[in-house]
Amino acid sequence: MEIAYTITVLIVGLVLGSFFNVVGLRVPLKESIVRPPSHCTSCQRQLTALDLVPVLSYLFLGGKCRSCGQKISWIYPLMELITGVLFAFAYWKLGFSTEFFVALLLISLLVIIVVSDFAYMLIPDKVLLFFLPLLVLGRVMSPLSPWWDSIVGAVVGFGILYIIAVLSRGGMGGGDIKLFFLLGLVLGTIHAILTLFLAAVIGMIVGIVVLKVRGQGRKTPIPFAPSIALAAIIIYFYGDALMNWYLGFW
């Protein structure tokens, strides 16, 4: 039964991942997430059920629109697959528990803001405000120990990035600052700080690789949300283990 449940959660994640793509791409443009229905952005043809099967449609169509042959961004199937795998992993780690509910909310939030940041270098306030009461509810149902660590974590997460933004004169985006308020709420104080540190390391590595590939002359901004999201997922599931390893190492 566990295998069946895991596969079911995986499929649900794949489907929701497709929806999260729509949310991440439309909300920043203040467009409806319902209308118009999903369509090719090149020829405007409305997509059918065969075009909308998560991941598989992209593979069967060779990454191109069935009508006009326009290439489809690899971001779509990638985010669908990531969502499905993370949902299944969360179930494998947590089972059907209240903390599983929190994990799904966190994963959903991070997937949406990664799509949005990739597309527009923007983390929409509407998305953060939508998830805020849900994450508060999640932490009421499944509190940290001690329970007030969520409150302190939210304040510290917001405060540190706000100070960085002030000192760097805009070097940190407002969306990142607000996002860390939510991450602090979910992760707690120490884990929020660890997430920031790990995100900075990941972002630095990504930046070096991108500069090597693009060349030093191109100064195209690099979205930071993917680094934050990866760091947050790692710390959420393995933060305690990493801390114990680090303390034992020394």
Side-chain angles (χ1 to χ4, degrees):
M1 286 299 294
E2 286 300 305
I3 295 177
Y5 286 145
T6 303
I7 293 174
T8 300
V9 172
L10 172 66
I11 293 173
V12 170
L14 291 171
V15 173
L16 286 178
S18 180
F19 174 68
F20 295 158
N21 278 326
V22 174
V23 175
L25 291 173
R26 293 193 183 187
V27 168
L29 300 180
K30 299 180 179 180
E31 296 179 348
S32 169
I33 60 175
V34 179
R35 296 188 179 281
S38 297
H39 57 280
C40 173
T41 56
S42 179
C43 66
Q44 305 302 315
R45 180 184 68 85
Q46 182 175 329
L47 302 183
T48 66
L50 293 177
D51 301 309
L52 296 172
V53 179
V55 181
L56 295 181
S57 289
Y58 181 88
L59 296 176
F60 290 153
L61 294 172
K64 297 179 181 179
C65 172
R66 186 149 46 92
S67 294
C68 67
Q70 179 70 24
K71 287 187 177 180
I72 302 170
S73 174
W74 54 268
I75 290 293
Y76 296 113
L78 177 63
M79 299 315 296
E80 291 167 354
L81 183 60
I82 287 175
T83 307
V85 170
L86 287 178
F87 270 37
F89 181 74
Y91 171 73
W92 178 68
K93 292 284 288 186
L94 303 169
F96 288 124
S97 62
T98 50
E99 188 60 32
F100 176 60
F101 169 72
V102 175
L104 295 188
L105 287 175
L106 176 64
I107 293 166
S108 301
L109 166 65
L110 294 176
V111 169
I112 292 172
I113 63 106
V114 165
V115 171
S116 179
D117 206 34
F118 261 130
Y120 311 112
M121 295 288 293
L122 177 68
I123 298 176
D125 287 343
K126 283 186 176 181
V127 173
L128 299 177
L129 289 173
F130 175 82
F131 278 94
L132 175 58
L134 296 177
L135 290 172
V136 170
L137 176 61
R139 272 294 165 244
V140 170
M141 296 168 56
S142 180
L144 296 175
S145 180
W147 64 267
W148 45 260
D149 195 29
S150 287
I151 300 174
V152 177
V155 173
V156 169
F158 179 90
I160 291 177
L161 265 76
Y162 182 78
I163 292 171
I164 293 174
V166 171
L167 294 179
S168 63
R169 297 182 180 182
M172 185 66 65
D176 298 329
I177 299 172
K178 298 166 191 172
L179 173 61
F180 260 89
F181 181 88
L182 272 67
L183 292 180
L185 179 70
V186 174
L187 301 172
T189 310
I190 299 300
H191 283 185
I193 295 173
L194 285 176
T195 297
L196 177 58
F197 172 77
L198 183 57
V201 173
I202 295 172
M204 180 181 65
I205 294 172
V206 170
I208 293 173
V209 171
V210 170
L211 284 176
K212 290 291 185 180
V213 172
R214 293 179 178 175
Q216 296 290 336
R218 300 184 63 181
K219 302 296 183 181
T220 306
I222 301 171
F224 190 42
S227 298
I228 296 175
L230 177 57
I233 291 295
I234 292 173
I235 296 301
Y236 177 78
F237 287 109
Y238 294 108
D240 289 336
L242 289 174
M243 285 182 60
N244 292 335
W245 171 82
Y246 179 78
L247 293 175
F249 181 79
W250 291 101

